[in-house]
Coordinates of all heavy atoms in Angstrom, one line a residue:
M1 N 20.1 16.2 -0.9 CA 19.4 17.4 -1.4 C 18.0 17.7 -0.9 O 17.3 16.8 -0.4 CB 19.2 17.2 -3.0 CG 18.6 18.3 -3.7 SD 18.9 18.0 -5.5 CE 17.8 19.4 -6.0
T2 N 17.9 19.0 -0.6 CA 16.4 19.3 -0.1 C 15.5 19.8 -1.3 O 16.0 20.3 -2.3 CB 16.5 20.4 0.9 OG1 17.2 21.5 0.4 CG2 17.1 20.0 2.2
Y3 N 14.3 19.5 -1.2 CA 13.3 19.8 -2.2 C 12.3 20.8 -1.7 O 11.9 20.8 -0.5 CB 12.6 18.6 -2.7 CG 13.6 17.6 -3.4 CD1 14.3 16.6 -2.6 CD2 13.9 17.8 -4.7 CE1 15.2 15.9 -3.2 CE2 14.8 17.0 -5.4 CZ 15.4 16.0 -4.7 OH 16.4 15.3 -5.2
S4 N 12.1 21.9 -2.5 CA 11.1 23.0 -2.1 C 9.7 22.5 -2.0 O 9.4 21.4 -2.6 CB 11.3 24.1 -3.0 OG 10.8 23.8 -4.3
T5 N 8.9 23.3 -1.5 CA 7.4 23.0 -1.5 C 6.9 23.0 -3.0 O 6.1 22.1 -3.4 CB 6.7 24.2 -0.8 OG1 7.0 24.1 0.7 CG2 5.2 23.9 -0.8
D6 N 7.5 23.8 -3.9 CA 7.0 23.8 -5.2 C 7.5 22.5 -6.0 O 6.8 21.9 -6.7 CB 7.7 25.0 -5.9 CG 6.9 26.3 -5.7 OD1 5.8 26.2 -5.1 OD2 7.4 27.4 -6.0
D7 N 8.7 22.0 -5.5 CA 9.1 20.7 -6.1 C 8.1 19.5 -5.7 O 7.7 18.8 -6.6 CB 10.4 20.3 -5.6 CG 11.6 21.2 -6.1 OD1 11.5 21.7 -7.2 OD2 12.7 21.4 -5.4
L8 N 7.8 19.6 -4.5 CA 6.9 18.6 -4.0 C 5.6 18.6 -4.6 O 4.9 17.6 -4.9 CB 6.7 18.5 -2.4 CG 8.1 18.3 -1.6 CD1 7.9 18.4 -0.2 CD2 8.5 16.8 -2.0
K9 N 5.0 19.9 -4.7 CA 3.7 20.1 -5.4 C 3.8 19.6 -6.9 O 2.9 18.9 -7.3 CB 3.3 21.6 -5.5 CG 2.8 22.0 -4.2 CD 2.4 23.4 -4.4 CE 1.8 24.0 -3.1 NZ 1.7 25.4 -2.9
R10 N 5.0 19.8 -7.5 CA 5.0 19.3 -8.9 C 5.1 17.8 -9.0 O 4.4 17.1 -9.8 CB 6.4 20.0 -9.5 CG 6.7 19.4 -10.9 CD 7.7 20.3 -11.7 NE 8.0 19.6 -12.9 CZ 9.0 19.0 -13.2 NH1 10.0 18.8 -12.3 NH2 9.3 18.4 -14.3
F11 N 5.9 17.1 -8.1 CA 6.0 15.7 -8.0 C 4.6 15.1 -7.7 O 4.2 14.1 -8.2 CB 6.9 15.2 -6.9 CG 8.4 15.7 -7.2 CD1 9.3 15.8 -6.3 CD2 8.8 15.8 -8.6 CE1 10.7 16.1 -6.6 CE2 10.1 16.1 -9.0 CZ 11.1 16.3 -7.9
L12 N 3.8 15.9 -6.8 CA 2.5 15.3 -6.5 C 1.6 15.3 -7.6 O 0.8 14.4 -7.9 CB 1.9 16.1 -5.3 CG 0.5 15.7 -4.8 CD1 0.4 14.3 -4.4 CD2 0.2 16.5 -3.6
D13 N 1.6 16.4 -8.4 CA 0.8 16.6 -9.6 C 1.2 15.5 -10.6 O 0.3 14.9 -11.3 CB 0.9 17.9 -10.2 CG 0.1 19.0 -9.4 OD1 -0.8 18.6 -8.7 OD2 0.5 20.2 -9.7
I14 N 2.4 15.2 -10.8 CA 2.8 14.2 -11.7 C 2.5 12.8 -11.2 O 1.9 11.9 -12.0 CB 4.4 14.2 -11.9 CG1 4.7 15.6 -12.6 CG2 4.9 13.0 -12.7 CD1 6.2 15.8 -12.7
A15 N 2.5 12.6 -9.9 CA 2.0 11.3 -9.3 C 0.5 11.1 -9.6 O 0.0 10.0 -9.9 CB 2.4 11.2 -7.9
T16 N -0.2 12.2 -9.4 CA -1.6 12.2 -9.6 C -2.0 11.8 -11.1 O -2.9 11.0 -11.3 CB -2.4 13.5 -9.2 OG1 -1.8 13.8 -7.9 CG2 -3.7 13.5 -9.3
E17 N -1.3 12.5 -12.0 CA -1.5 12.3 -13.4 C -1.2 10.8 -13.8 O -2.0 10.1 -14.5 CB -0.7 13.2 -14.3 CG -1.0 13.1 -15.8 CD -0.1 14.0 -16.6 OE1 0.4 15.0 -16.0 OE2 0.2 13.7 -17.8
A18 N -0.1 10.3 -13.1 CA 0.3 8.9 -13.5 C -0.7 7.9 -12.9 O -1.1 7.0 -13.5 CB 1.7 8.7 -12.9
A19 N -1.2 8.1 -11.7 CA -2.2 7.2 -11.0 C -3.4 7.3 -11.8 O -4.2 6.2 -11.9 CB -2.3 7.5 -9.6
S20 N -3.7 8.4 -12.2 CA -5.1 8.6 -13.0 C -4.9 7.9 -14.3 O -5.9 7.1 -14.7 CB -5.3 10.1 -13.2 OG -6.4 10.4 -13.7
A21 N -3.9 8.0 -15.0 CA -3.8 7.3 -16.2 C -3.8 5.9 -16.1 O -4.4 5.1 -16.8 CB -2.4 7.7 -16.9
G22 N -3.0 5.3 -15.0 CA -3.2 3.9 -14.8 C -4.5 3.4 -14.3 O -5.1 2.4 -14.8
G23 N -5.2 4.3 -13.5 CA -6.5 3.9 -13.1 C -7.5 3.9 -14.2 O -8.4 3.1 -14.1
A24 N -7.4 4.7 -15.3 CA -8.3 4.6 -16.4 C -8.2 3.4 -17.1 O -9.2 2.7 -17.5 CB -8.0 5.8 -17.4
V25 N -7.0 2.8 -17.2 CA -6.8 1.5 -17.7 C -7.5 0.4 -16.8 O -8.2 -0.6 -17.4 CB -5.3 1.1 -17.9 CG1 -5.0 -0.3 -18.4 CG2 -4.5 2.1 -18.9
L26 N -7.5 0.6 -15.6 CA -8.0 -0.4 -14.6 C -9.6 -0.4 -14.9 O -10.3 -1.4 -14.8 CB -7.7 -0.2 -13.3 CG -6.2 -0.3 -12.8 CD1 -5.9 -0.1 -11.4 CD2 -5.6 -1.6 -13.4
Q27 N -10.1 0.9 -15.0 CA -11.5 0.9 -15.3 C -12.0 0.3 -16.6 O -13.0 -0.4 -16.6 CB -11.9 2.5 -15.2 CG -11.7 3.0 -13.9 CD -12.0 4.5 -13.9 OE1 -11.8 5.2 -14.8 NE2 -12.6 5.2 -12.8
H28 N -11.0 0.4 -17.5 CA -11.4 -0.2 -18.9 C -11.5 -1.7 -18.8 O -12.4 -2.3 -19.3 CB -10.3 0.2 -19.9 CG -10.3 -0.5 -21.2 ND1 -11.3 -0.2 -22.2 CD2 -9.6 -1.5 -21.7 CE1 -11.1 -0.9 -23.2 NE2 -10.1 -1.8 -22.9
Y29 N -10.5 -2.3 -18.1 CA -10.5 -3.8 -18.0 C -11.3 -4.4 -16.9 O -11.6 -5.6 -16.8 CB -9.0 -4.3 -17.8 CG -8.3 -4.2 -19.0 CD1 -7.3 -3.3 -19.2 CD2 -8.3 -5.3 -20.0 CE1 -6.5 -3.2 -20.4 CE2 -7.6 -5.2 -21.2 CZ -6.7 -4.2 -21.3 OH -5.9 -4.1 -22.5
W30 N -12.1 -3.6 -16.1 CA -12.8 -4.1 -14.9 C -13.9 -4.9 -15.4 O -14.7 -4.5 -16.2 CB -13.3 -2.9 -14.2 CG -14.2 -3.3 -13.0 CD1 -15.6 -3.2 -13.0 CD2 -13.8 -3.7 -11.7 NE1 -16.0 -3.6 -11.7 CE2 -15.0 -3.9 -10.9 CE3 -12.5 -3.9 -11.2 CZ2 -14.9 -4.3 -9.6 CZ3 -12.5 -4.4 -9.8 CH2 -13.7 -4.7 -9.0
G31 N -13.9 -6.2 -15.0 CA -15.0 -7.2 -15.5 C -14.7 -7.7 -17.0 O -15.6 -8.4 -17.5
N32 N -13.5 -7.3 -17.5 CA -13.3 -7.7 -19.0 C -11.9 -8.3 -19.1 O -11.3 -8.1 -20.2 CB -13.4 -6.5 -19.9 CG -14.8 -6.1 -20.1 OD1 -15.6 -6.8 -20.4 ND2 -15.0 -4.8 -19.7

Side-chain angles (χ1 to χ4, degrees):
M1 181 166 168
T2 51
Y3 293 90
S4 68
T5 300
D6 283 348
D7 291 330
L8 293 176
K9 279 185 181 157
R10 177 165 174 255
F11 294 152
L12 180 56
D13 285 342
I14 294 169
T16 307
E17 186 182 334
S20 180
V25 173
L26 301 183
Q27 290 174 330
H28 172 78
Y29 281 103
W30 179 259
N32 286 307

